[in-house]
Amino acid sequence: MSNFFEQVTPELADFIRAQPIFFVATAVPEGRINLSPKGMDTFRVLDPNRVAYIDLTGSGNETAAHLLRDGRITIMFCSFEENAEIARIYGRGVVIHPSHERWPELIANFPQLPGVRQVMEVCVESAMTSCGYAVPRMRGMTARDTLEKYWTKRGEQEKERYWQTHNLRSIDGLPTGMPETKS
């Protein structure tokens, strides 16, 4: 049975904090729907009406392009432990880059991780929980440190070079809002 909420309740926030993985879905009227798994210690409930996550540099930047164009976002959390439960947050998101005046305020909520590209801030429009009875139990899930090691080894300059060649446009050619550097 589903339960709907107008904001993130304290119980829902506790459930969210306990999950090691979340999924982010965005879309624009034309083009592909994007669905990305996220992990590490990158998600925060800032208050009952606002959540955020740090976005680490990866192969694409679809979520940023979709938020810039449309703003709609759904974030899903699944329990893979004994209790079968799913939670979804529906809202409107914005992308906050390191040059944005609100960057210091938002990034202070997260651990320092290599490869940080931007913060996705979401104004919560509604939330929902459902049973999750078909979600498998998965014991022994452990975090990967591959992405962290990758960007620690390469450093800030290589990360910013990567943004210029891989993260300025989505796979559908939409701008991502990443600042372009002057060569």
Side-chain angles (χ1 to χ4, degrees), residues 26-34 60-71 166-178 180:
T26 57
V28 292
E30 70 289 335
R32 295 168 176 89
I33 296 169
N34 186 59
N61 201 3
E62 304 308 299
T63 302
H66 289 178
L67 292 182
L68 185 64
R69 180 78 179 269
D70 186 80
H166 294 85
N167 290 167
L168 295 178
R169 296 208 163 265
S170 74
I171 56 176
D172 290 321
L174 299 172
T176 64
M178 290 294 301
E180 293 188 46

Side-chain angles (χ1 to χ4, degrees), residues 9 13 40 48 50 54 62 67 70 109 128 132 152 160 166:
T9 65
M40 302 170 71
R50 200 168 51 109
I54 50 175
E62 304 308 299
L67 292 182
D70 186 80
N109 292 287
M128 172 189 161
T152 297
E160 291 180 16
H166 294 85

Side-chain angles (χ1 to χ4, degrees), residues 78-91:
C78 300
S79 173
F80 295 102
E81 300 295 329
E82 292 303 314
N83 295 333
E85 187 173 353
I86 296 171
R88 291 180 183 88
I89 295 173
Y90 303 96

Side-chain angles (χ1 to χ4, degrees), residues 143-173:
R144 292 181 199 263
D145 61 0
T146 309
L147 189 61
E148 191 172 352
K149 285 180 178 178
Y150 183 90
W151 289 116
T152 297
K153 181 179 177 182
R154 281 158 184 79
E156 288 295 309
Q157 285 184 324
E158 181 60 30
K159 176 183 75 171
E160 291 180 16
R161 254 193 308 276
Y162 186 90
W163 292 348
Q164 299 304 303
T165 58
H166 294 85
N167 290 167
L168 295 178
R169 296 208 163 265
S170 74
I171 56 176
D172 290 321

